[in-house]
Amino acid sequence: MISKKNALIFIVVVAAVLFITGLIYGFNNKFDINEYLSILDSNNFLIIKHLLIIIICLFCTISLLGVIFIAIYIGFESISIGYLIANFILSYKTSGLLYGIITVIVNKGIYLLILLYLFITAIIYLKKHIMNIVGINKEYITDLLIPLLKKYLVITIILIIYDIFIYVFGNMFLNYLTFML
C-alpha cells in the first residue's frame, strides 16, 4: 500500500502540474478580472459549498471512492487557482501576481490544507478497510467508522470557523488591498 508521505508527494505533484496547466490556460484565455473583484464586494459566503464538499468527501471515503474524489477536487482547485493568478498577472502585471497570491492564501489557504488532510485520511481509511476485508481487523464500527466521523466533525468545525472568519474579515482585507492593483 501507499505510505502517507508518498501519497502526499503524489497529490502535491499532481496539484502543481494542474496549477501550471491552469496558468497556461489563463494566459491563453483572458478573463475580466474586474468581475472577480466585484464578487469580493458581495461578501460571498462559501460555508454551504464547503460543507457540501465535506459531506461528499465523507460519503466517498466511506464508500472507498474518497481518494479518487478528493484527488480530482484538489486538481480542480489547482487549475482554478492557476487560472485566477494568470488572469491577475495579465491584467495587473507584478502587482497582480502579488495580489493574486494574497487572494489565494486568504480565500483558499486553509481550505486546501483541509483537503490535503482529507486525502491522507481517505488513504488511511482505505488501508484499514482493506485490512478489515482480509480479516485482520473485525471491529469495523469502533475501529474505522467512529474515528473517521470524529475527524470529519473536527474538520467541519474548523471549516465553519474559517468560512465565518473569511466572510467577516477576509474579503474586507482583500478589498482594502485593491489599492495594490
Side-chain angles (χ1 to χ4, degrees):
M1 283 309 280
I2 300 173
S3 71
K4 290 185 272 187
K5 181 182 175 186
N6 291 340
L8 192 59
I9 290 171
F10 170 75
I11 198 67
V12 168
V13 168
V14 168
V17 167
L18 292 174
F19 172 77
I20 292 169
T21 304
L23 279 173
I24 293 169
Y25 184 73
F27 283 131
N28 291 327
N29 299 313
K30 188 170 168 113
F31 172 73
D32 185 19
I33 206 69
N34 292 323
E35 284 183 40
Y36 179 79
L37 293 174
S38 68
I39 291 172
L40 290 177
D41 291 334
S42 68
N43 282 331
N44 52 347
F45 197 50
L46 297 174
I47 194 166
I48 303 298
K49 175 190 161 211
H50 289 163
L51 287 177
L52 182 64
I53 294 296
I54 294 297
I55 290 169
I56 292 171
C57 287
L58 174 64
F59 286 125
C60 285
T61 300
I62 290 173
S63 68
L64 304 179
L65 298 172
V67 175
I68 296 167
F69 174 77
I70 297 169
I72 290 171
Y73 191 73
I74 289 172
F76 170 75
E77 288 289 332
S78 300
I79 287 175
S80 67
I81 289 170
Y83 182 75
L84 178 70
I85 289 178
N87 279 292
F88 270 117
I89 292 170
L90 283 175
S91 297
Y92 300 107
K93 308 295 181 234
T94 308
S95 61
L97 172 66
L98 184 60
Y99 187 80
I101 291 172
I102 291 171
T103 300
V104 168
I105 290 171
V106 168
N107 280 335
K108 296 185 184 246
I110 292 179
Y111 184 61
L112 287 174
L113 291 175
I114 288 172
L115 287 175
L116 288 173
Y117 178 74
L118 291 178
F119 182 75
I120 298 300
T121 301
I123 287 177
I124 292 170
Y125 179 79
L126 182 64
K127 283 181 177 180
K128 288 181 180 179
H129 191 74
I130 289 173
M131 285 184 195
N132 189 29
I133 290 173
V134 173
I136 297 172
N137 189 0
K138 298 285 183 191
E139 300 296 324
Y140 178 74
I141 300 292
T142 58
D143 288 347
L144 295 177
L145 211 50
I146 292 176
L148 182 71
L149 292 175
K150 285 180 183 178
K151 286 180 184 179
Y152 270 88
L153 179 66
V154 169
I155 288 170
T156 303
I157 292 169
I158 291 170
L159 193 62
I160 290 171
I161 293 169
Y162 172 68
D163 282 338
I164 290 172
F165 181 78
I166 292 300
Y167 179 71
V168 174
F169 298 111
N171 291 333
M172 184 175 33
F173 175 69
L174 291 175
N175 281 329
Y176 176 74
L177 290 179
T178 54
F179 73 87
M180 293 171 42
L181 304 175

